[in-house]
Amino acid sequence: MYLASRISQDKDLNITIDQSRYAKSIVKRYLDPAGIKKSTREITSVLPTTFVPTKNDCPDSEEEYQKLQQEYNIDYASCVGSLIYLSNTRPDLTFGINKLAKYSRLPGEKHILALIHLLRYLSQHTQCGLTYYSDIKNSPIYKMLRLNNITPSRNLFTFTDSSWDDDFDTSRSTGGYLIFYQGGVVDHSSNMPIPVAMSSAEAEYNQACLACMATGNLHMTLNHIEGIQEGSKQDLPVDIFMDKKSAVDMSVTFKDTKNSRHIRRIFCFFKQGSEQNWHKLTWISNQSMVADFTTKILARKPMEDQTQWFLTLEVPE
């Protein structure tokens, strides 16, 4: 059993995968012995909503960090590493884990407290997993798309989103994507593309480019499994959902302007992909952008509004 992953099937042949046992072991190993005051307060966000990840909060020396580690009795790098493996089935944790991982070499007190906050959130939300549906029409994400009058062209589709200029240290933009198949998440990411975006539209395109490349690999694999010849009538494009209408509009015209000329190369990538039926950029409203949590810290209500479409809660013990 890999990292306590469990696969179960219900009477409707829907398959759920979860790591609830592994999540509990992480809490027991790192949170329970931590030198902090115990609390029963409900934790509703993955990271503190006031937390700003920055290297300015790192200690000046290894000695200072060692004192913090002894004070809080927690191995920061080991804990973050364990959480990275847990994120296989917990996309909701990805943003927080990736932000904290940046400071594994020399974390400061604020980073340690943020990690403890994440562990407390996990301790209250261990029984979660991902479900794949025998009939995609029964999945929550498909029903949400239909509420938006969208019918995906394939059982494979992607949501991609980006913030802009949100990293305090580098001015890079945080982006993320969720790739779905049969109503369940099969790939996800929260990352910061290397180019420093000059505009919010460029930030969206930088991230969408990564999402399209990740989706393209799964697209080819799915065609191979289903026996679909590339370029045939059956080879339908994969929907790539974005919530920035101007970015989607630009992908339709592919016309340069003085404000968008700097992203010409990315235009070329999307143009080629559209012409060859690799992908199709589709606008979806902000309220239905389920990848939004991969780009920022969300409070309870917006987090619940997004995770309800892909995260199976309260899987059996």
Side-chain angles (χ1 to χ4, degrees):
M1 184 176 292
Y2 181 65
L3 297 175
S5 296
R6 175 177 56 170
I7 301 174
S8 56
Q9 188 176 58
D10 64 19
K11 60 181 178 60
D12 296 319
L13 305 182
N14 303 321
I15 295 174
T16 298
I17 180 170
D18 73 277
Q19 292 174 277
S20 300
R21 285 176 56 192
Y22 183 56
K24 290 178 180 178
S25 71
I26 292 174
V27 171
K28 183 177 181 180
R29 179 178 179 184
Y30 296 105
L31 181 62
D32 290 354
I36 55 171
K37 184 179 180 180
K38 305 303 179 183
S39 173
T40 57
R41 179 173 62 90
E42 184 179 11
I43 305 299
T44 58
S45 61
V46 175
L47 292 176
T49 54
T50 57
F51 176 62
V52 178
T54 172
K55 63 183 180 182
N56 290 345
D57 293 323
C58 294
D60 295 326
S61 65
E62 180 72 26
E63 290 73 19
E64 288 184 46
Y65 165 58
Q66 291 300 329
K67 290 180 180 179
L68 286 171
Q69 183 168 284
Q70 292 176 8
E71 178 183 351
Y72 289 100
N73 193 30
I74 187 169
D75 187 333
Y76 186 98
S78 175
C79 181
V80 170
S82 298
L83 289 167
I84 288 173
Y85 286 112
L86 178 63
S87 66
N88 289 333
T89 57
R90 292 296 300 271
D92 57 316
L93 304 178
T94 304
F95 175 86
I97 294 171
N98 284 1
K99 289 300 182 185
L100 294 176
K102 289 176 57 181
Y103 309 99
S104 295
R105 172 66 184 83
L106 210 63
E109 185 172 27
K110 289 185 178 180
H111 306 124
I112 293 174
L113 291 175
L115 176 61
I116 290 171
H117 180 101
L118 191 153
L119 289 171
R120 282 174 165 166
Y121 173 89
L122 179 60
S123 70
Q124 298 174 14
H125 303 83
T126 56
Q127 298 298 121
C128 301
L130 301 173
T131 299
Y132 306 91
Y133 295 81
S134 58
D135 183 352
I136 191 176
K137 294 180 181 179
N138 294 328
S139 67
I141 193 66
Y142 185 89
K143 293 176 182 178
M144 185 273 281
L145 289 174
R146 292 301 301 131
L147 290 174
N148 285 271
N149 296 317
I150 295 173
T151 301
S153 56
R154 304 191 67 156
N155 290 354
L156 179 72
F157 48 83
T158 299
F159 290 79
T160 175
D161 194 28
S162 179
S163 62
W164 178 46
D165 188 25
D166 70 312
D167 185 71
F168 186 86
D169 298 322
T170 65
S171 289
R172 288 161 62 187
S173 305
T174 303
Y177 61 78
L178 296 176
I179 303 177
F180 288 82
Y181 179 67
Q182 288 301 128
V185 176
V186 293
D187 191 13
H188 59 90
S189 176
S190 177
N191 55 75
M192 287 195 301
I194 292 176
V196 176
M198 298 295 104
S199 65
S200 58
E202 183 182 2
E204 293 280 352
Y205 266 97
N206 287 341
Q207 183 56 44
C209 188
L210 295 179
C212 285
M213 287 190 289
T215 305
N217 179 57
L218 294 174
H219 185 180
M220 288 188 291
T221 302
L222 184 60
N223 279 353
H224 178 72
I225 293 173
E226 296 181 349
I228 295 176
Q229 186 69 31
E230 183 177 342
S232 66
K233 290 183 179 180
Q234 291 76 32
D235 186 18
L236 299 174
V238 177
D239 288 293
I240 309 293
F241 296 109
M242 304 173 66
D243 63 1
K244 193 169 186 63
K245 198 169 190 311
S246 60
V248 175
D249 290 342
M250 286 193 304
S251 73
V252 175
T253 61
F254 295 108
K255 291 182 179 179
D256 285 341
T257 69
K258 65 179 181 179
N259 295 321
S260 65
R261 196 161 295 152
H262 58 289
I263 52 177
R264 181 184 180 92
R265 289 183 181 177
I266 303 178
F267 271 0
C268 292
F269 171 81
F270 284 117
K271 184 176 183 180
Q272 181 180 359
S274 297
E275 290 175 346
Q276 298 190 12
N277 265 2
W278 297 341
H279 51 245
K280 179 180 68 175
L281 301 190
T282 304
W283 177 81
I284 196 165
S285 68
N286 292 330
Q287 292 75 19
S288 300
M289 174 44 66
V290 298
D292 191 38
F293 74 93
T294 64
T295 70
K296 59 180 69 69
I297 303 171
L298 295 181
R300 177 176 184 170
K301 183 63 168 63
M303 188 68 172
E304 289 179 346
D305 287 347
Q306 290 184 29
T307 56
Q308 66 174 315
W309 304 117
F310 66 86
L311 197 65
T312 301
L313 304 177
E314 301 303 325
V315 296
E317 297 256 358

